[in-house]
Amino acid sequence: MKKFQVCTLPFLLGSTFALTQVSRANSNTPPLPIQVKQVTRWFVGEFDNTQQVADEPDVSLIKMSNCTVKLAKQDETGQSLNVYLQQETNGVPFRVRFYSFSKSETGVKVSIRRFINEETVLGMCTRPKSARVVNIANVATQTCEVEVNWQPGLYSGSNEPEGCPTRTSGGKVVSEVTIRARGTDSLDQIFDGQGNKTFGTEIKFRRIPFMSQED
């Protein structure tokens, strides 16, 4: 009996310490409206994966340009912060998306949608801020969502195992993302209708030096 008491004492002390640490961490967690603004600010800017390519030559060099955009007046709701994302390789855009950041019950909800007519929005981040306006009629209704949660110095989340449906019948994409002030790590794993993974390379975007964050 004494042996049991001696053995359990460190466990109880450890549990108390852990609960104290969690309590302190929770007390430092920013309010959700602040989280939405912070993660959006960290996501905005000019990025590439030059550093990753130097370490992993098989990975393609990708540039990512993200900037805040406004909805056309008739579409304004004020419930989210919206970002235009454009990724390109060798100067050719291959991924253009409309991102919306808003608060959920426990974190920040990131909603990702396609543009119906991408040609009309290409190069959005090179336009003056006043001209970065998106008409919601040009944004697809289907959305892919990932919730990211605050940790000291970063936001991270995943939509596994459900993921989001792809254009391929029965296919899906499962996304993981970590957003920091210095960059974003993004892993999109694409599965076909039979559950076979067809793509899954993590891309490590880092903020391009001398490119300041958007005000």
Side-chain angles (χ1 to χ4, degrees), residues 21-50:
Q21 293 293 91
V22 170
S23 177
R24 288 176 180 172
N26 289 341
S27 68
N28 293 328
T29 303
L32 287 175
I34 299 300
Q35 291 186 37
V36 172
K37 291 180 180 179
Q38 184 177 58
V39 71
T40 303
R41 179 173 173 79
W42 287 356
F43 191 69
V44 164
E46 298 282 335
F47 308 83
D48 66 23
N49 63 332
T50 299

Side-chain angles (χ1 to χ4, degrees), residues 124-186:
M124 178 73 74
C125 294
T126 63
R127 305 176 188 179
K129 283 187 179 181
S130 59
R132 296 176 193 167
V133 179
V134 171
N135 190 322
I136 202 66
N138 191 30
V139 179
T141 55
Q142 186 181 47
T143 182
C144 183
E145 295 183 352
V146 181
E147 180 175 301
V148 294
N149 299 106
W150 178 88
Q151 297 177 43
L154 62 85
Y155 292 84
S156 66
S158 170
N159 60 9
E160 63 178 350
E162 294 86 0
C164 297
T166 63
R167 292 180 177 180
T168 304
S169 179
K172 69 176 182 179
V173 56
V174 176
S175 300
E176 297 178 28
V177 63
T178 299
I179 302 171
R180 301 179 178 86
R182 63 187 175 94
T184 296
D185 295 343
S186 176

Side-chain angles (χ1 to χ4, degrees), residues 1-10:
M1 186 68 178
K2 291 181 180 178
K3 184 177 181 181
F4 176 76
Q5 290 175 330
V6 171
C7 289
T8 55
L9 183 59

Side-chain angles (χ1 to χ4, degrees), residues 57-138:
D58 291 338
V59 176
S60 298
L61 178 62
I62 301 173
K63 180 183 178 182
M64 180 170 72
S65 302
N66 304 336
C67 56
T68 55
V69 293
K70 293 183 178 181
L71 293 176
K73 246 183 182 179
Q74 69 272 15
D75 301 323
E76 289 180 352
T77 62
Q79 296 178 349
S80 63
L81 296 178
N82 302 309
V83 173
Y84 170 89
L85 173 146
Q86 181 172 311
Q87 294 177 357
E88 58 185 60
T89 185
N90 296 323
V92 179
F94 68 90
R95 187 170 186 266
V96 178
R97 294 291 185 272
F98 179 79
Y99 277 64
S100 293
F101 294 79
S102 60
K103 65 179 182 178
S104 65
E105 291 185 3
T106 57
V108 178
K109 181 174 69 174
V110 185
S111 300
I112 307 158
R113 289 184 280 176
R114 298 175 181 271
F115 287 96
I116 297 172
N117 185 349
E118 294 183 352
E119 294 296 325
T120 62
V121 296
L122 287 177
M124 178 73 74
C125 294
T126 63
R127 305 176 188 179
K129 283 187 179 181
S130 59
R132 296 176 193 167
V133 179
V134 171
N135 190 322
I136 202 66
N138 191 30

